[in-house]
C-alpha cells in the first residue's frame, strides 16, 4: 500500500479527550476516530488489525469444530422477553422505538431459538456455533476508547450438548482455544476463576490483562497463577495465637477516641490486638462484624455469606442498636448476631468498643466474653499478602476482561423451549455454554502492553503491515526508482508492505513509522544507495543495520522468521 494515497491521518499531538495509552495511540496512528461517545469508526489501517485478530480467532474456533454463523443484530423484542432479559439488561439494552425490536447485546436467545427448530435429537449434538459480530450495549460510562464501547465487535460462541458432562468437554475445548488465541496475539494475560481459584471446579473463567484502564480489581500471584477478583480473593493469613495469660475484662475511659489508629496511639497498643466493629443490617436485623485492626470488611464476601439484603447501618441507627455511636461499638454485650473475621478466631486480650460512648473494653476474650460468635473470611485482600496457594506474595491491581467462558446450563433452552429427544426417547433441555471475546479489546490491550514513547510496537501476527518501506527523498530519481523496485519485489514475495512515498521530510516519515510501529523498517536513502545498500531497522529492539540490495530478500526472510 502506498501511503501517498492511503488514508492514514496520523496526529502529532495527543488528543485532549484521550487519557488511556491505547486510546491515544489508536487515535494518533489514524486507526480509529470517534463518532460519538463509545462509538468508533475503524479507518483502513485499524480495520486491518481487526481483521487480523478476527482471523486468529476464526482459525482457532474452526480448529475445535466451530461453525461460523452471522446472526442478526436486530432482534424481535419478544424473544428477549421470553428469557426475562429485557428487564435483566435494563438500560444497557438499546430499543428501536417505532417497532418492538432490540439491538442484540449478546446472542444466547437467538442461538436457543434456532437450536429449538433444528437440534431435535441427541444425535444432532454436540454443536459449536460462533460468529464475529457487532454487539450493542448502552454502557453508562463509555471511556478508554474501544475498550468500553456502546457498539463493539464480539466473537461469541455457543455450545449445545446433551449433558453437563458433555458441556464440560465443550468448555475445555474453548478454554484451550482461548489460550491459543491470546498467546498467538502476543498478550500477557491471566485467568480468573469466577468462584475463586481455591474452590476449584468453576463454571466460568475470565481471561484478563493487567491495565490501569481496567474496571475490575483482581489479586494475582505471578508464581502459581492464582487469580481472583478481590470480591472473592483470599490470602494466606497470619492468625495470632491466644496470649498465655488471660487478662480480666476491664472498661477503659477513652474520651473522643473513634478510630483504631487513635485508640492505638492513646493506649500505646498494636492494632493487631484491636477488634474493629461494623454494624450491618441484614434483612432488617443488625449484625456486628468484627475485623482485626484496620482490616476492611469485604462487602461482597459478607453479602455472599449472609444472602438476602445487606447494607451498612446508618450512623443515626447505631445508638438505638448498640447504645453507642460508631467508634465505641463492640462485641461484649452486643444484642444480635456477631461474625468475626477468621483472623480473630478464638483470640483473647483484645480491645474493642464498650457500647458506651467514650469507653472501650480491654482484656476481651472472644471465647469467654461473647456468648455466640461465628468466624468467616471477611477481609479485603491487600497487595503484598501471601498467596493462598503457594509461598509467593499477591499483587492487587486493576484489569480488563478480554474474554469470558461460561457454563450456561439450561436457562435459555428451557425459556425458549429448546428440547431434544435423548437415547431413551425422553425430552430434555439442551445444555448450553457461552463464550465471548472482545475483538477491539484484544487490539487495545495489545497496544497497552506493546508500545514505547514513540508509538506502537506490533508483532508480525497483528501488525497491519509487516514492512514499512521509507523512501527518504521522493525528489531523487534514483531513490524513487530503487524504492519502487523494492516495493514491487516485496509484494511479489508475498509481504505486506506500507510504502511511505509521500513527498515529506525524512524526520516526519521516521516519526510516523515509529508511531505506527510496523515490525520492520526498510529505509532507502541517497547516501546508502550509492553503496548499493539500504538500511533496515527492527522497530521493537531498535537494531539497525545496512543490507546489500541483492541480499535484501534473504535478509528480510530471515528477520521476519525471527520476529515474534
Ligand atoms: P465487562 O465486565 O467488561 O463489562 P462483560 O462481562 O459485560 O464485560 P461479556 O458479556 O462476557 O462481557 O462479553 C464478552 C466479551 O465482550 C468481554 O469479555 C469483552 O472482551 C467484550 N466486551 C464486553 N463489553 C464490551 C464493551 N462495552 N466494549 C468492548 N468490548 C466489550
Ligand atoms: Mg459489561
Amino acid at each position: 500500500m502506498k501511503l501517498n494515497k492511503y488514508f492514514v491521518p496520523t496526529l502529532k499531538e495527543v488528543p485532549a479527550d484521550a487519557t488511556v495509552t491505547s486510546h491515544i495511540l489508536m487515535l494518533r496512528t489514524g486507526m480509529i476516530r470517534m463518532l460519538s461517545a463509545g462509538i468508533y469508526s475503524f479507518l483502513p489501517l485499524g480495520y486491518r488489525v481487526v481483521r487480523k485478530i478476527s482471523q486468529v480467532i476464526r482459525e482457532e474456533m474452526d480448529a475445535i469444530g466451530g461453525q461460523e454463523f452471522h446472526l442478526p443484530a436486530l432482534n424481535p423484542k419478544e424473544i428477549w422477553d421470553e428469557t426475562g432479559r429485557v428487564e435483566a439488561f435494563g438500560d444497557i439494552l438499546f430499543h428501536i422505538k417505532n417497532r418492538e425490536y432490540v439491538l442484540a447485546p449478546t446472542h444466547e436467545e437467538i442461538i436457543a431459538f434456532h437450536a429449538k427448530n433444528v437440534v431435535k435429537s441427541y444425535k444432532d449434538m454436540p454443536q459449536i456455533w460462533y460468529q464475529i459480530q457487532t454487539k450493542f450495549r448502552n454502557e453508562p460510562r463509555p471511556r478508554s476508547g474501544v475498550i468500553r464501547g456502546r457498539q463493539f465487535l464480539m466473537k461469541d460462541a455457543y455450545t449445545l450438548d446433551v449433558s453437563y458432562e458433555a458441556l464440560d468437554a465443550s468448555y475445555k475445548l474453548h478454554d484451550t482455544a482461548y489460550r491459543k488465541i491470546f498467546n498467538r496475539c502476543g498478550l500477557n494475560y491471566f485467568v480468573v476463576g469466577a468462584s475463586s481459584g481455591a474452590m476449584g471446579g468453576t463454571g466460568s473463567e475470565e481471561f484478563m490483562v493487567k491495565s490501569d484502564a481496567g474496571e475490575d480489581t483482581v489479586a494475582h500471584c505471578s508464581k502459581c497463577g492464582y487469580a481472583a477478583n478481590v470480591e472473592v480473593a483470599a490470602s494466606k493469613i497470619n492468625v495470632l495465637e491466644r496470649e498465655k495469660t488471660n487478662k480480666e475484662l476491664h472498661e477503659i475511659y477513652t474520651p473522643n477516641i473513634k478510630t483504631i489508629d487513635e485508640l492505638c496511639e492513646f493506649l500505646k497498643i498494636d492494632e493487631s490486638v484491636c477488634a474493629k466493629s461494623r454494624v450491618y443490617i441484614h434483612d432488617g436485623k443488625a449484625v456486628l462484624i468484627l475485623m482485626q485492626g484496620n482490616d476492611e470488611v469485604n462487602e461482597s464476601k459478607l453479602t455472599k455469606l449472609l444472602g438476602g439484603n445487606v447494607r451498612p447501618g446508618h450512623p443515626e441507627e447505631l445508638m438505638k442498636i448498640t447504645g453507642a455511636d460508631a467508634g465505641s461499638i463492640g462485641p461484649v454485650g452486643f444484642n444480635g448476631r456477631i461474625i468475626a473475621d477468621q483472623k480473630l478466631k478464638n483470640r483473647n486480650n483484645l480491645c474493642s468498643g464498650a457500647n458506651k460512648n467514650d469507653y472501650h473494653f480491654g482484656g476481651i476474650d472472644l471465647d469467654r466474653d461473647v456468648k455466640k460468635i461465628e468466624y468467616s473470611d471477611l477481609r479485603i485482600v491487600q497487595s503484598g499478602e501471601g498467596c493462598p496457594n503457594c509461598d509467593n506474595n499477591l499483587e492487587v491491581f486493576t484489569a480488563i476482561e478480554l474474554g469470558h467462558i461460561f457454563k450456561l446450563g439450561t436457562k435459555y433452552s428451557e425459556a425458549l423451549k429448546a428440547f431434544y429427544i435423548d437415547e431413551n426417547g425422553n425430552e430434555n433441555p439442551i445444555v448450553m455454554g457461552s463464550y465471548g471475546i472482545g475483538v477491539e479489546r484484544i487490539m487495545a490491550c495489545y497496544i497497552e502492553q506493546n508500545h514505547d514513547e514513540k508509538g506502537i510496537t506490533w508483532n508480525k501476527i497483528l501488525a497491519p503491515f509487516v514492512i514499512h518501506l521509507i523512501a527518504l527523498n521522493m525528489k531523487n530519481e534514483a531513490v524513487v526508482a530503487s524504492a519502487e523496485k523494492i516495493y514491487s519485489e516485496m509484494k511479489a514475495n508475498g509481504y505486506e508492505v506500507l510504502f511511505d512515498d509521500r513527498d515529506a521530510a525524512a524526520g516526519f516519515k521516521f516519526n510516523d513509522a515509529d508511531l505506527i510501529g510496523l515490525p520492520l523498517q526498510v529505509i532507502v536513502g541517497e547516501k546508502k544507495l550509492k553503496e548499493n545498500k539500504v538500511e533496515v531497522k527492527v522497530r521493537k529492539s531498535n537494531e539497525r543495520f545496512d543490507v546489500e540490495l541483492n541480499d535484501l530478500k534473504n535478509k528480510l526472510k530471515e528477520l521476519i522468521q525471527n520476529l515474534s
Side-chain angles (χ1 to χ4, degrees):
M1 198 60 70
K2 293 185 171 181
L3 251 182
N4 199 21
K5 296 242 167 60
Y6 195 48
F7 185 63
V8 186
T10 55
L11 302 172
K12 212 172 159 195
E13 304 297 325
V14 175
D17 56 334
T19 51
V20 173
T21 306
S22 55
H23 188 195
I24 293 169
L25 287 173
M26 285 168 90
L27 288 166
R28 285 194 59 210
T29 50
M31 293 200 289
I32 59 166
R33 283 292 183 268
M34 188 172 89
L35 179 64
S36 147
I39 307 179
Y40 288 87
S41 299
F42 274 83
L43 277 43
L45 193 69
Y47 194 57
R48 281 183 79 93
V49 180
V50 169
R51 282 176 35 200
K52 298 247 164 143
I53 295 168
S54 304
Q55 187 55 29
V56 171
I57 295 175
R58 268 196 188 98
E59 286 170 14
E60 298 303 336
M61 288 306 298
D62 292 347
I64 60 167
Q67 304 163 68
E68 188 167 1
F69 278 56
H70 186 75
L71 302 170
L74 194 60
N75 292 180
K77 179 171 159 283
E78 64 198 47
I79 296 186
W80 286 81
D81 277 326
E82 284 183 55
T83 58
R85 283 221 287 184
V86 171
E87 223 181 299
F89 269 102
D91 291 340
I92 298 275
L93 198 61
F94 280 110
H95 291 256
I96 304 289
K97 279 203 180 127
N98 57 347
R99 295 272 175 133
E100 289 288 276
Y101 287 119
V102 297
L103 290 175
T106 174
H107 275 91
E108 283 83 4
E109 277 76 358
I110 310 309
I111 291 289
F113 172 87
H114 290 304
K116 170 193 172 149
N117 295 321
V118 295
V119 180
K120 295 189 166 152
S121 150
Y122 69 95
K123 291 181 192 149
D124 298 329
M125 284 178 277
Q127 292 284 343
I128 301 176
W129 294 354
Y130 80 96
Q131 62 172 342
I132 297 177
Q133 202 245 23
T134 303
K135 298 284 186 279
F136 299 87
R137 294 184 186 179
N138 192 11
E139 300 279 0
R141 287 178 309 279
R143 56 179 162 186
S144 319
V146 299
I147 289 174
R148 185 167 297 285
R150 289 193 163 128
Q151 162 171 345
F152 60 95
L153 205 55
M154 193 201 287
K155 186 290 298 175
D156 45 326
Y158 307 88
T159 52
L160 309 175
D161 279 295
V162 295
S163 65
Y164 280 88
E165 291 73 47
L167 169 60
D168 286 346
S170 297
Y171 181 88
K172 188 92 214 329
L173 284 177
H174 282 80
D175 179 86
T176 311
Y178 271 42
R179 289 170 199 266
K180 284 189 181 159
I181 290 167
F182 298 131
N183 285 336
R184 281 181 67 188
C185 288
L187 290 161
N188 188 357
Y189 66 94
F190 58 93
V191 187
V192 176
S195 62
S196 130
M199 319 272 273
T202 62
S204 136
E205 281 171 304
E206 291 172 348
F207 294 76
M208 319 272 296
V209 298
K210 181 179 174 180
S211 165
D212 292 341
E215 290 173 36
D216 287 298
T217 308
V218 294
H220 178 239
C221 171
S222 56
K223 188 168 172 192
C224 72
Y226 170 84
N229 198 301
V230 281
E231 290 178 0
V232 295
S235 63
K236 199 174 278 162
I237 52 155
N238 178 18
V239 181
L240 297 177
E241 297 279 306
R242 278 176 73 85
E243 288 178 9
K244 291 220 169 61
T245 42
N246 219 0
K247 291 183 189 151
E248 292 286 304
L249 183 70
H250 56 283
E251 202 175 77
I252 314 167
Y253 179 52
T254 50
N256 285 319
I257 300 297
K258 302 252 186 289
T259 67
I260 293 291
D261 288 343
E262 287 165 0
L263 189 66
C264 292
E265 172 70 31
F266 185 74
L267 298 177
K268 304 281 173 262
I269 54 175
D270 192 79
E271 68 163 88
S272 62
V273 300
C274 299
K276 178 171 68 182
S277 304
R278 290 274 183 261
V279 176
Y280 282 83
I281 310 298
H282 172 226
D283 290 339
K285 286 199 193 108
V287 183
L288 187 79
I289 306 301
L290 274 189
M291 304 299 295
Q292 176 181 304
N294 276 317
D295 286 356
E296 290 300 336
V297 181
N298 186 324
E299 294 186 352
S300 307
K301 288 183 183 174
L302 182 64
T303 305
K304 212 167 145 197
L305 176 75
L306 295 177
N309 224 325
V310 184
R311 65 161 174 88
H314 303 311
E316 59 281 6
E317 293 172 310
L318 298 181
M319 178 61 84
K320 217 176 113 204
I321 295 169
T322 70
D325 293 316
S328 302
I329 297 170
V332 180
F334 178 81
N335 192 9
R337 189 170 174 187
I338 302 176
I339 310 171
D341 179 65
Q342 54 185 357
K343 256 170 126 177
L344 290 172
K345 195 152 193 189
N346 308 114
R347 296 269 304 279
N348 64 346
N349 299 344
L350 295 173
C351 191
S352 193
N355 295 319
K356 183 159 99 179
N357 277 357
D358 293 333
Y359 286 89
H360 280 78
F361 276 128
I364 299 173
D365 179 345
L366 292 178
D367 290 352
R368 179 193 66 195
D369 302 325
V370 182
K371 252 198 307 220
K372 189 161 180 278
I373 185 163
E374 302 157 56
Y375 295 96
S376 186
D377 171 19
L378 293 172
R379 301 180 60 246
I380 296 179
V381 166
Q382 308 281 342
S383 260
E385 291 176 1
C387 170
N389 291 351
C390 76
D391 58 6
N392 197 31
N393 285 344
L394 293 173
E395 205 193 332
V396 175
F397 48 73
T398 54
I400 300 174
E401 180 191 316
L402 279 178
H404 190 190
I405 60 177
F406 190 47
K407 292 179 189 172
L408 278 184
T410 58
K411 176 178 167 186
Y412 298 93
S413 46
E414 281 184 60
L416 287 153
K417 304 189 177 55
F419 295 103
Y420 75 95
I421 306 294
D422 69 17
E423 277 173 292
N424 305 319
N426 299 321
E427 202 179 58
N428 295 305
I430 293 171
V431 182
M432 289 175 64
S434 157
Y435 317 85
I437 292 181
V439 176
E440 294 110 324
R441 271 195 197 178
I442 290 187
M443 183 168 170
C445 290
Y446 177 86
I447 297 170
E448 292 286 329
Q449 293 181 347
N450 298 277
H451 66 268
D452 57 22
E453 66 291 346
K454 294 183 191 140
I456 303 172
T457 54
W458 289 112
N459 62 18
K460 68 177 167 195
I461 304 282
L462 302 191
F465 297 88
V466 178
I467 300 166
H468 201 123
L469 174 64
I470 303 169
L472 282 186
N473 181 358
M474 289 303 288
K475 293 203 170 71
N476 182 300
E477 274 173 34
V479 168
V480 173
S482 178
E484 286 284 358
K485 187 161 173 266
I486 293 172
Y487 178 59
S488 306
E489 280 170 6
M490 284 179 187
K491 282 207 307 179
N493 289 328
Y495 296 134
E496 296 169 296
V497 191
L498 185 65
F499 177 17
D500 193 344
D501 60 342
R502 296 174 299 180
D503 187 11
F508 178 80
K509 291 188 173 189
F510 288 143
N511 286 344
D512 263 6
D514 284 346
L515 176 66
I516 292 170
L518 303 185
L520 294 178
Q521 296 175 12
V522 175
I523 302 149
V524 186
E526 214 177 323
K527 228 168 87 193
K528 298 258 156 76
L529 213 51
K530 284 193 179 132
E531 304 163 26
N532 271 327
K533 283 179 187 162
V534 290
E535 196 181 6
V536 174
K537 171 174 151 178
V538 183
R539 169 68 180 89
K540 197 162 197 161
S541 64
N542 212 16
E543 283 169 273
R544 305 157 161 273
F545 31 83
D546 293 346
V547 180
E548 298 270 351
L549 274 177
N550 52 22
D551 195 30
L552 186 60
K553 186 178 161 185
N554 290 334
K555 188 69 193 170
L556 286 178
K557 194 172 161 193
E558 180 197 317
L559 282 170
I560 289 171
Q561 253 165 13
N562 293 336
L563 283 175
S564 60

